[in-house]
Amino acid sequence: MSATTNAELGEAPETTMPVDPGLFDCMPDLIAAARIAPVVRIPYLGRHAWVVCDRELVKQALTHPKMGKDITLVPEWMRQPGLMVTAQPPPEYARAMIMSDGENHARIRRIHAPVLSPRNTERWGEQVAGKVEGFLDELSQAASGRNAEVDVVTNYTHKIPLAFISEMLGLPPEAEHRLRSITDIMLYSSDYAARREAIGGLFGAVEEWVRNPAGLRDGVITGLLAASDGPGAAVTEGEVIVWTLGMIITGYETTGSLISTSLYEALRRPPHERPKSDEDITAWIEETLRVHPPFPHPTWRFPLEDIELGGYLIPKGAPVQLSIAAANREPGEGADSFDAERRGHGHLSFGLGMHYCIGAPLVRLEAKIAVRGFLRRFPRARLSADTAVQWESEWMIRRMSALPAVLS
């Protein structure tokens, strides 16, 4: 792009978003920021990050050949302790799928594809579906007594993806509690020293499982250890560790958030407006994905050269986020806009192009099992009239941390 062309482009206006985690819902602020301009700049770590908000521009950026994601593109000033981007290992150790490009990315997807096959997905789903009945029994016991409240998040929604991840990876049962405590701190603590320690704790746990797989059941870890990418090109131990970490981070917390918000939208409505059939539940989950994407801004991108989007200049190397939260909505649509009739039409919550989420079928299956089981067991459940739901978020990740409900 020539200097003359650059001079003709507009500078993205500056606005703010909640970049630090806290006990609040970030969504209204994200939608408000998106109304400023199709592309905005956010103060971040003493500099700026660019955020693409317009739906068509987000789609362009998701598939733009010059919008890189590789870990080597992260500028030095962003490599601060406690940030998720610093949890990424050096490329010579292993590249994660989410922060790789080109042949590196294609190779990682090829290796994952047979492990995350439809057949395996169905098998893990059947195993977890059996556990859900037990979780529902425990939930019912936790709400013993007429009109007794129960926190659906703590007692149900996050138990299912944790069980699913453990089944997928082939982990021993005692690993589930360990994963929950580590990931809560790593993703949501406002104490960056604690987050840094948690990142190290999760790495250490996965490293232990990978290096001593004798106690593991057949699953993703044993499958990746046995996988290869052509003659003599075996998957390294470091890659198995890093890829397993990625599946835990993206597959556990985000799926739990999707289940929680799906049930929230059901419980805030009378029983006759809730989904009944499998088809209706599937559509309900898609609409939840549209309105409540667990990653409102998914992952960093870095232009390989100066890029023009919507008449705005995004400089080479600038850190860029794409507002899935804004792109999923129509112009003028508010933060609280769930409409089951939309059926999630056109949402981008799993991405687009070569970085489309490889675990999307797993996420959808888990959510369907969880929502269907809850609504059939507790058809008269309702939100608590005395205790408010609680959100926990920042601009990149959002969850419902408390969903108080009465089950009968």
Side-chain angles (χ1 to χ4, degrees), residues 75-215:
E76 196 60 37
W77 61 268
M78 285 183 66
R79 298 175 184 269
Q80 296 193 16
L83 295 179
M84 284 302 298
V85 72
T86 62
Q88 300 294 325
E92 59 270 18
Y93 181 77
R95 276 181 166 85
M97 187 186 303
I98 202 168
M99 295 201 75
S100 59
D101 283 320
E103 177 50 35
N104 288 316
H105 180 78
R107 171 180 174 266
I108 297 171
R109 288 186 80 97
R110 282 199 304 271
I111 294 171
H112 278 71
V115 179
L116 300 175
S117 67
R119 183 176 181 179
N120 282 341
T121 298
E122 182 179 353
R123 174 168 58 88
W124 294 324
E126 289 172 353
Q127 292 168 337
V128 172
K131 292 187 174 185
V132 165
E133 290 304 312
F135 295 150
L136 291 168
D137 290 341
E138 293 171 7
L139 184 62
S140 183
Q141 292 170 8
S144 60
R146 187 172 180 82
N147 295 326
E149 286 186 13
V150 63
D151 182 1
V152 178
V153 169
T154 301
N155 291 283
Y156 183 66
T157 64
H158 278 61
K159 288 185 175 182
I160 294 167
L162 202 52
F164 209 108
I165 283 289
S166 297
E167 287 289 341
M168 280 180 58
L169 299 180
L171 300 181
E174 62 271 16
E176 293 185 20
H177 177 73
R178 189 175 179 186
L179 283 182
R180 175 71 191 266
S181 59
I182 290 174
T183 53
D184 272 2
I185 296 171
M186 186 175 67
L187 294 172
Y188 287 102
S189 175
S190 58
D191 183 339
Y192 282 85
R195 290 173 77 170
R196 183 170 65 249
E197 184 178 344
I199 289 169
L202 181 59
F203 183 91
V206 173
E207 185 178 47
E208 176 186 327
W209 295 324
V210 170
R211 291 183 174 172
N212 301 285

Side-chain angles (χ1 to χ4, degrees), residues 19-38:
V19 298
D20 292 315
L23 295 176
F24 56 84
D25 180 9
C26 67
M27 190 60 71
D29 288 335
L30 304 188
I31 299 303
R35 293 194 179 114
I36 301 295

Side-chain angles (χ1 to χ4, degrees), residues 134-405:
F135 295 150
L136 291 168
D137 290 341
E138 293 171 7
L139 184 62
S140 183
Q141 292 170 8
S144 60
R146 187 172 180 82
N147 295 326
E149 286 186 13
V150 63
D151 182 1
V152 178
V153 169
T154 301
N155 291 283
Y156 183 66
T157 64
H158 278 61
K159 288 185 175 182
I160 294 167
L162 202 52
F164 209 108
I165 283 289
S166 297
E167 287 289 341
M168 280 180 58
L169 299 180
L171 300 181
E174 62 271 16
E176 293 185 20
H177 177 73
R178 189 175 179 186
L179 283 182
R180 175 71 191 266
S181 59
I182 290 174
T183 53
D184 272 2
I185 296 171
M186 186 175 67
L187 294 172
Y188 287 102
S189 175
S190 58
D191 183 339
Y192 282 85
R195 290 173 77 170
R196 183 170 65 249
E197 184 178 344
I199 289 169
L202 181 59
F203 183 91
V206 173
E207 185 178 47
E208 176 186 327
W209 295 324
V210 170
R211 291 183 174 172
N212 301 285
L216 301 179
R217 295 165 290 160
D218 286 343
V220 169
I221 294 177
T222 57
L224 289 176
L225 287 171
S228 65
D229 186 35
V235 176
T236 68
E237 184 180 82
E239 287 176 327
V240 178
I241 292 170
V242 169
W243 298 347
T244 301
L245 282 167
M247 281 184 275
I248 291 171
I249 293 169
T250 59
Y252 160 54
E253 177 57 46
T254 57
T255 306
S257 178
L258 173 60
I259 297 168
S260 299
T261 48
S262 295
L263 289 177
Y264 164 69
E265 292 293 354
L267 293 176
R268 67 196 294 219
R269 290 166 169 77
H272 70 272
E273 293 183 11
R274 300 172 188 174
K276 301 293 192 299
S277 69
D278 281 1
E279 181 182 354
D280 288 343
I281 290 171
T282 297
W284 192 275
I285 290 166
E286 293 304 310
E287 178 65 3
T288 305
L289 282 163
R290 187 185 76 85
V291 175
H292 300 292
F295 282 135
H297 297 89
T299 54
W300 291 107
R301 284 166 166 79
F302 305 92
L304 304 182
E305 59 186 40
D306 288 353
I307 288 177
E308 178 270 329
L309 281 178
Y312 294 96
L313 170 67
I314 303 181
K316 176 182 178 180
V320 178
Q321 282 287 347
L322 310 181
S323 182
I324 300 301
N328 280 353
R329 288 169 164 79
E330 299 297 330
E333 187 179 335
D336 185 11
S337 57
F338 186 97
D339 181 356
E341 295 302 316
R342 287 180 183 265
R343 309 175 74 85
H345 180 69
H347 76 73
L348 299 170
S349 296
F350 288 126
L352 198 65
M354 68 177 183
H355 279 283
Y356 184 84
C357 178
I358 195 171
L362 284 170
V363 173
R364 287 181 164 117
L365 178 60
E366 290 177 71
K368 182 176 179 179
I369 292 170
V371 172
R372 179 178 59 199
F374 182 95
L375 294 180
R376 291 181 179 176
R377 176 72 73 93
F378 306 113
R380 294 188 299 276
R382 60 193 184 278
L383 293 180
S384 167
D386 302 315
T387 310
V389 301
Q390 189 170 79
W391 296 92
E392 196 168 10
S393 65
E394 39 108 313
W395 65 324
M396 294 183 198
I397 188 167
R398 173 181 183 257
R399 72 169 175 177
M400 183 165 282
S401 55
L403 180 57

